[in-house]
Amino acid sequence: MFNTTKRTKLAAGALAAAMLFSLPVGQAFGAAGKPAGAQYQTYQLEATPTKHVSYYKAGVTLPETIAWVTTKDDLTFLPAAVTGDVTSAIKDADGIYWIGTTNGLQRVNFKEKDARDIVQYMAGPRYMYGGDDVVTGLASDGQGGVWVRTASGVTHIELRMKTILDKTQVYEKLNDSVQDRRGMVTGTEYTFTPDSGQTGIDFDMGSFTSNPKTDDNDGLWTSMYAIGEIFRYRTLKAEGANQSEIDAAKADAVRATKAVLLLDYVSGRGNGFPARSYMLTSENAAQTTTGDDYGYQSQNGFWFHHRVSVTDAVYAASNPIIPTMQRSDSVQPIGYSIVRVTKDSVKKSGDRLFPSGGTNVLNYNGIGLSQEAIDELNTTRPVGQKLGIDIKTKVDTVDGVDVYQVMPVITAKTNNNQADEDKTTSASNPPLFQLTVPVYEQIPTFFNDLFPSSAIGSNGFIDMNQIVYKADTSSDEVAGHSALFFTAYKYLCDDSSDAQLSELKNYVVEATHRMANLILKNDNYYIEDATGKSTQWSRWLAKYFNDGTGDMQSQAQWSSKVGVDANGDDALSYGFEDGPLNALQLMAFLKTASTVTAEAYPLDSARYQAAYDMAFDGEYSKAEPYANGKGYIHLAQEYIERRLIRQATNAYNHMGNEIVTRNNYRYTGNQQKDSNINSTLHNDWTQYINYSDEELGWFPVYQLVLQEQDSARRAEIVAAFDQWYENEVREENPFYTFLYQLAHPEDTTVDIASAVRYMYRMPEYLVSLPAQYNRQDVLFIENGDRDKLDKQLNYALPTDERRVMKNNGNPFRTDEGKYSVDPNFNYTYKTMESGTIVTLPYWLGRYFGIIEEAK
C-alpha cells in the first residue's frame, strides 16, 4: 500500500544555510521580466521582524532566567483610567512596550517605520497558550521578544529578523516534504513531533508528519503553486544564481506542472476532460463500505473507478456508450470506469438554470443524465429496467408537476423517490443503475514518476485499476489549468535542448489542444462530462449568462436594477452574475490556446483566435438565438453592475416584490435577507462579494494582460479588471496588487508597500488557528451576504493577526466564537496552509521587477 506520509525537520538556521540563494558578489537581484516602458519603480525589500512562537503547557520546565513582571508600572504613556484591563506591562531595552491584558497582548513600538505597525495585537491560540487570553505575567527575553504567561501555559514570542525570501524557503521546504501529494500541493493536516528533550512546541525543533489528502480543486491549488515555481526558476536563471538552486526550482516547477497535466489524462477518455482530482484505491478516502464498487464511498463528489481489462459483466464491451462519450473512429475502449456510490452521485440534482427552462433535465445544473444519454442506454436495457421510465429519481416539483432525473446512481431506495443519500448498497444489494464510461487510453508513461512503484503495472504503464478520479469539474480547474499552460509554455519550457522540458512542452500543447476542442465542440462552450451534458459549473455559453435579459430590460423594475419578467417574478438566469468572470475565463483560455498551439496545430490555433476575436465583435446576445462568445468583452465589463442587479433582485424578493427605497425598507431579522436589503439601500456591492470568484478572476486577467498586444483591446481588458480591483485594493494582497501593477505599468502610485507589508507580516508557519477579533482598533460592520453569522471588519488586519487562509476567503470576516480556553490545546495536530499565498506573488513580483531583494 502506498504510504503518502512525509517527514521534514526544520532546525533553526540549518534550513537557511541549506537553501540560501547565492549570487555573485555585489550583484543585486534584478528585474528579469520588467515590461518595456514600465514606469513603476522596483520596491526594495528588507529584513523585518517576524514573530516566532513556542508553546509550553502549564507545569513544564521553563528557563530559570525568566523574570516575571506582574505589575504595570512601566506603562507610563497611558492614563490609569484607560488601563483597567491591563494585568502587566514591561518596557524592554529597545524601548518597546509589551502590554498584557485580560484580552491578550499588545506590542507598542513608537519607532516603527509604518504607523500601522506601531500597535500590534496578539491573542488567540496563535499567541496565547490554548487561547487563554488572560495574561498573568510578562518577561523580556533580552533579544526583542517576550515571554507571556497565562493560567493555561506560557508562550515565547521571538522577533526574528527575516526577509520574505527567508520565509519562502520555509514554505518551499514544507510544500515539498509535507504538503506534496504526488506533485499536488494544498493545505494539509500534520502531526508534529518535538525533538527529544524539548519541553515545549517549537516548530523549528522537531519533525512534521503528514498524510496529504485529495482536495476539491487539486488542479487549481497546484496550478497556483506551479506558476510561482516557474517564476522562481526563471528569476534565478536570469539572475545567474547557483545552478543547484536553478535546478531545484526547475524540479519543483516541473513536478507540479506534471501533476496538473496528469488531471487532463487521468480519466482515460482521450478527449481533454480535466479531472478535479484523483486518488489511488489504497488511500483511505477511496475506500468503500464493502471494499468494491457497489459499496458507499464517504468521500463526497462525482468519482469514477477505472476497470481496465476486467471481464466483469458490468463493464462488458456490450454495455452501451452514451453518444457524447463515443469516439468517431474505430478505436475500441480498453476498459470502463464505473461511478462510485456517493452522496453526490445519488442526489446532486442541481438548481434550475433558466426561468424559462421548464422541467427538462438540461435546465438543471446537477449531474443528472441528458435525454440523449438516457435514450442510448435504453437501447439495450430490458423492459422493466428502462431509465427515465422504470428507473428514475424525483428531484423537484414545478408548478405541481413532479420532475424526475436519471442520476448516475439510482438505488432501490431512491428509485422513483426523492433523491437522497443511500449507504445501504453492496454486491448483494447493488444499485439499479450505475453509470459507466469508456476508457480509451492508458495514462502516458511520462507521468510514471509521480507514482509509487506499486502503482506501475507489469506493462510499464500506471495500473489504471488503482485510479479513482473526480469528475464534475468546475471552471475553477479550467481557469487554473489554462493559466498554468500559458506560464509553462512561455516561461518554463524555454530550453529546446532540454529533453525533459521539450517533452513537457509537448504535453502542455496536447492538453491545451484537447481541452479547447472539448469546450468548442458543437459550439457547446462547456466542459462535457460523462452524463452527456455540461458539468455543474464549467459553462461559458451565452444563454447561461443572459437568458431573458432582453425581456427583463423592457420591464419598469430594470431601472432600479431589479430583473423580473412581465409578472414581476425573479427572471435572472442562474448564471447571470457569473457572466463577467466566465467571459474573461473563456477569452483567456482561447487566447492561451491560440498561443500554445500555434506551432503544432496552426489551423486550430487560427480557429481559437477567431473565437477569441468574437469577444470584441459587437454586443453580446440577450435573446434567442444566442451567439456564444460574441461581445463577451462587454459582458466582462459588467462585474459591478451584475452584482448590484443580483442583490437588488434578492432584496426585491425579500421585500415581497417591492423595490427597496429609503422610505419602505424593513429588516426581517434574517441575515442574508437583511444584507441584501441594506446593501441595495446603500448601493454597496462589496457586501455581496464572492471571494472565491475574486481569486478566480486573477487567472484570466493574468493571461490576457501578458498576451494581448493590441492597445485598444488590452485597455478594455484592463477596464474589466479595474472593477474587481475596486474591492481588492483594500485587501492589500500582493496576489492582486502585483497583477494590477502589470495591468498598469505606467502607474507609479500603486500601493506596493502595503502588498509587501502583507508578506512581511505573514507567519512563517501557516498553521490554521482561530483568531481573536475583540479589539478596539476596528469597527464591526454588517455580515457579508455569504458569511452567515460572522461580522466583518472595516479593514483587513495584518496577516499575522487574523486566520490563515487561501486567497478565496473573506479577509474582513471575523471568527467570533471559534475557540474557547483549552489548557490541553493540541498544537501537534492541526492543518497547515500552503505557502503558495506568498510564493506565487513573491516570485512573480521579483520576475517582473515589482519587488527586489537588494543583495
Side-chain angles (χ1 to χ4, degrees):
M1 179 180 294
F2 177 48
N3 185 354
T4 58
T5 296
K6 309 293 179 75
R7 294 182 66 84
T8 184
K9 182 174 181 177
L10 299 176
L15 179 64
M19 300 187 65
L20 181 62
F21 294 149
S22 58
L23 294 173
V25 176
Q27 179 177 339
F29 288 128
K34 192 170 186 177
Q39 297 178 35
Y40 58 81
Q41 296 294 312
T42 301
Y43 190 96
Q44 299 292 311
L45 302 175
E46 60 184 3
T48 56
T50 296
K51 301 179 182 73
H52 179 89
V53 187
S54 302
Y55 306 92
Y56 301 86
K57 187 176 181 179
V60 304
T61 302
L62 295 171
E64 296 180 356
T65 55
I66 297 177
W68 294 108
V69 174
T70 58
T71 66
K72 51 184 176 181
D73 298 342
D74 282 354
L75 188 55
T76 58
F77 68 91
L78 288 175
V82 299
T83 62
D85 64 341
V86 176
T87 61
S88 57
I90 58 175
K91 183 179 180 181
D92 68 17
D94 297 318
I96 297 172
Y97 292 92
W98 296 91
I99 306 171
T101 75
T102 58
N103 193 45
L105 176 73
Q106 295 178 34
R107 176 183 184 269
V108 180
N109 178 15
F110 293 109
K111 298 177 183 179
E112 287 287 350
K113 293 181 180 179
D114 191 320
R116 295 172 295 181
D117 294 331
I118 290 176
V119 180
Q120 299 183 24
Y121 288 77
M122 285 153 276
R126 180 175 300 282
Y127 298 109
M128 305 290 105
Y129 195 96
D132 185 347
D133 294 328
V134 180
V135 177
T136 61
L138 296 174
S140 172
D141 68 2
Q143 298 179 331
V146 67
W147 291 87
V148 188
R149 187 180 66 193
T150 70
S152 298
V154 171
T155 54
H156 183 197
I157 304 174
E158 301 174 73
L159 273 295
R160 298 179 177 179
M161 296 301 291
K162 298 275 186 179
T163 64
I164 302 174
L165 177 60
D166 292 334
K167 288 196 280 193
T168 67
Q169 292 166 355
V170 176
Y171 302 147
E172 297 288 1
K173 183 70 173 178
L174 292 168
N175 277 336
D176 287 348
S177 56
V178 176
Q179 292 159 327
D180 179 287
R181 184 176 75 95
R182 295 188 293 278
M184 294 176 286
V185 173
T186 188
T188 306
E189 292 178 348
Y190 70 84
T191 298
F192 178 76
T193 304
D195 283 343
S196 177
Q198 293 291 315
T199 59
I201 304 296
D202 180 344
F203 291 136
D204 273 0
M205 302 296 179
S207 301
F208 287 92
T209 303
S210 71
N211 187 19
K213 298 178 177 62
T214 178
D215 201 297
D216 191 50
N217 282 309
D218 271 327
L220 174 64
W221 311 132
T222 307
S223 290
M224 296 176 71
Y225 172 68
I227 290 169
E229 298 309 284
I230 291 170
F231 282 117
R232 172 185 163 209
Y233 162 70
R234 282 301 296 265
T235 300
L236 295 176
K237 189 173 181 180
E239 292 173 351
N242 288 343
Q243 191 60 46
S244 61
E245 301 300 337
I246 297 172
D247 290 344
K250 173 189 166 186
D252 286 342
V254 168
R255 179 173 172 82
T257 301
K258 288 179 69 172
V260 175
L261 276 170
L262 173 62
L263 295 175
D264 299 298
Y265 290 90
V266 76
S267 73
R269 298 180 189 179
N271 65 350
F273 178 80
R276 277 183 181 266
S277 183
Y278 78 93
M279 298 182 286
L280 293 176
T281 51
S282 57
E283 295 180 51
N284 288 336
Q287 305 301 312
T288 68
T289 54
T290 58
D292 56 28
D293 292 326
Y294 302 110
Y296 179 82
Q297 177 183 293
S298 60
Q299 177 68 38
N300 197 27
F302 188 35
W303 292 88
F304 288 84
H305 177 216
H306 286 313
R307 298 300 295 267
V308 176
S309 301
V310 175
T311 59
D312 191 319
V314 167
Y315 314 99
S318 61
N319 205 36
I321 303 173
I322 64 176
T324 55
M325 291 291 101
Q326 292 176 352
R327 290 183 60 136
S328 59
D329 52 28
S330 59
V331 175
Q332 295 299 308
I334 61 173
Y336 287 85
S337 300
I338 187 168
V339 70
R340 283 289 179 86
V341 183
T342 64
K343 179 180 179 180
D344 275 359
S345 64
V346 178
K347 67 175 296 182
K348 194 173 185 179
S349 55
D351 298 298
R352 284 189 287 164
L353 298 177
F354 314 115
S356 60
T359 61
N360 188 295
V361 68
L362 295 178
N363 190 35
Y364 289 81
N365 68 343
I367 54 179
L369 274 65
S370 70
Q371 190 60 52
E372 184 182 24
I374 295 168
D375 293 342
E376 178 63 24
L377 292 170
N378 278 339
T379 59
T380 58
R381 295 186 72 88
V383 174
Q385 296 182 28
K386 296 293 185 181
L387 300 176
I389 300 172
D390 309 304
I391 298 176
K392 57 187 178 181
T393 298
K394 180 184 174 183
V395 297
D396 200 0
T397 300
V398 179
D399 296 328
V401 178
D402 290 340
V403 179
Y404 293 89
Q405 289 185 26
V406 176
M407 303 300 294
V409 174
I410 299 180
T411 70
K413 178 181 176 180
T414 63
N415 185 31
N416 290 306
N417 297 321
Q418 194 72 32
D420 199 6
E421 197 169 11
D422 186 355
K423 301 180 180 181
T424 67
T425 57
S426 65
S428 60
N429 179 35
L432 302 177
F433 172 68
Q434 201 164 0
L435 179 65
T436 60
V437 182
V439 177
Y440 282 108
E441 62 182 23
Q442 294 275 2
I443 298 171
T445 57
F446 177 69
F447 300 102
N448 280 18
D449 64 329
L450 297 176
F451 290 83
S453 58
S454 58
I456 308 301
S458 59
N459 60 358
F461 286 91
I462 295 161
D463 178 9
M464 295 182 73
N465 293 312
Q466 295 187 42
I467 297 288
V468 182
Y469 73 89
K470 190 174 188 178
D472 194 28
T473 304
S474 72
S475 58
D476 304 24
E477 284 292 315
V478 177
H481 288 219
S482 177
L484 176 57
F485 293 163
F486 162 70
T487 310
Y489 184 83
K490 182 173 177 62
Y491 298 105
L492 176 59
C493 303
D494 62 334
D495 186 353
S496 59
S497 65
D498 187 314
Q500 182 188 41
L501 292 183
S502 294
E503 188 173 12
L504 179 67
K505 183 177 181 179
N506 290 337
Y507 279 103
V508 168
V509 172
E510 182 178 67
T512 304
H513 181 242
R514 285 179 167 192
M515 194 185 300
N517 288 344
L518 180 64
I519 291 172
L520 297 181
K521 177 184 175 183
N522 298 328
D523 196 39
N524 286 335
Y525 280 66
Y526 59 66
I527 291 290
E528 183 180 71
D529 209 340
T531 59
K533 60 184 186 122
S534 73
T535 67
Q536 184 172 19
W537 297 111
S538 288
R539 294 192 186 90
W540 302 275
L541 56 152
K543 182 178 175 66
Y544 178 58
F545 311 133
N546 303 315
D547 181 54
T549 300
D551 291 336
M552 286 186 287
Q553 290 178 340
S554 67
Q555 308 304 320
Q557 293 92 331
W558 188 260
S559 63
S560 300
K561 302 188 186 304
V562 173
V564 294
D565 58 23
N567 297 322
D569 296 327
D570 188 337
L572 293 179
S573 170
Y574 189 86
F576 178 81
E577 64 185 289
D578 293 336
L581 170 60
N582 288 30
L584 286 170
Q585 287 178 346
L586 178 74
M587 291 166 59
F589 184 79
L590 291 172
K591 188 65 173 174
T592 288
S594 180
T595 298
V596 170
T597 63
E599 182 178 354
Y601 302 98
L603 294 180
D604 282 333
S605 172
R607 181 164 63 97
Y608 307 149
Q609 180 64 37
Y612 171 75
D613 291 341
M614 284 180 60
F616 300 90
D617 182 17
E619 294 295 325
Y620 62 82
S621 51
K622 301 176 182 178
E624 299 285 359
Y626 292 94
N628 291 330
K630 182 178 176 63
Y632 273 21
I633 186 59
H634 302 295
L635 182 58
Q637 292 170 346
E638 294 181 354
Y639 171 64
I640 294 177
E641 182 71 6
R642 292 198 173 213
R643 289 277 182 211
L644 289 170
I645 291 170
R646 180 69 271 178
Q647 71 182 26
T649 305
N650 286 350
Y652 171 86
N653 298 333
H654 300 329
M655 291 272 292
N657 288 11
E658 287 185 54
I659 294 171
V660 176
T661 70
R662 291 187 179 274
N663 295 323
N664 74 344
Y665 73 90
R666 54 186 179 274
Y667 294 148
T668 65
N670 181 294
Q671 179 271 326
Q672 185 178 32
K673 294 180 180 180
D674 292 351
S675 178
N676 282 268
I677 292 169
N678 196 37
S679 297
T680 300
L681 185 67
H682 294 93
N683 204 40
D684 179 8
W685 60 276
T686 65
Q687 301 307 297
Y688 195 70
I689 291 291
N690 181 330
Y691 285 90
S692 180
D693 280 0
E694 264 201 355
E695 178 184 55
L696 291 174
W698 185 95
F699 296 91
V701 173
Y702 157 76
Q703 295 169 75
L704 290 168
V705 299
L706 292 180
Q707 291 185 84
E708 183 53 73
Q709 300 300 310
D710 182 275
S711 59
R713 288 185 173 185
R714 191 178 190 279
E716 291 204 77
I717 292 164
V718 171
F721 175 47
D722 286 352
Q723 294 188 34
W724 293 78
Y725 197 68
E726 281 191 32
N727 184 68
E728 292 166 352
V729 65
R730 67 192 185 109
E731 300 174 42
E732 301 178 344
N733 187 335
F735 183 64
Y736 303 116
T737 306
F738 293 172
L739 179 60
Y740 185 81
Q741 183 69 89
L742 288 177
H744 294 274
E746 78 293 342
D747 190 344
T748 61
T749 65
V750 179
D751 188 5
I752 301 301
S754 289
V756 168
R757 177 175 176 261
Y758 180 104
M759 296 187 286
Y760 281 160
R761 294 289 298 269
M762 186 68 70
E764 194 171 33
Y765 291 94
L766 301 179
V767 178
S768 297
L769 296 169
Q772 204 253 67
Y773 296 90
N774 183 19
R775 45 197 292 171
Q776 296 177 340
D777 63 330
V778 297
L779 295 176
F780 294 102
I781 61 177
E782 185 178 43
N783 313 51
D785 178 81
R786 297 172 180 271
D787 296 317
K788 298 182 180 179
L789 300 179
D790 294 319
K791 294 193 293 289
Q792 297 185 94
L793 305 177
N794 63 323
Y795 71 94
L797 297 178
T799 48
D800 59 356
E801 295 182 17
R802 67 188 197 217
R803 62 192 176 97
V804 171
M805 63 183 183
K806 292 183 172 72
N807 294 323
N808 64 342
N810 181 353
F812 307 100
R813 196 192 85 194
T814 63
D815 278 343
E816 289 187 290
K818 296 299 191 297
Y819 73 90
S820 56
V821 178
D822 181 5
N824 296 309
F825 193 87
N826 186 3
Y827 287 96
T828 66
Y829 182 77
K830 285 288 177 286
T831 298
M832 185 183 296
E833 191 51 73
S834 166
T836 301
I837 52 180
V838 172
T839 57
L840 191 165
Y842 174 79
W843 289 110
L844 180 141
R846 275 190 53 183
Y847 180 80
F848 288 108
I850 299 171
I851 56 175
E852 178 180 66
E853 296 281 1
K855 281 188 179 180

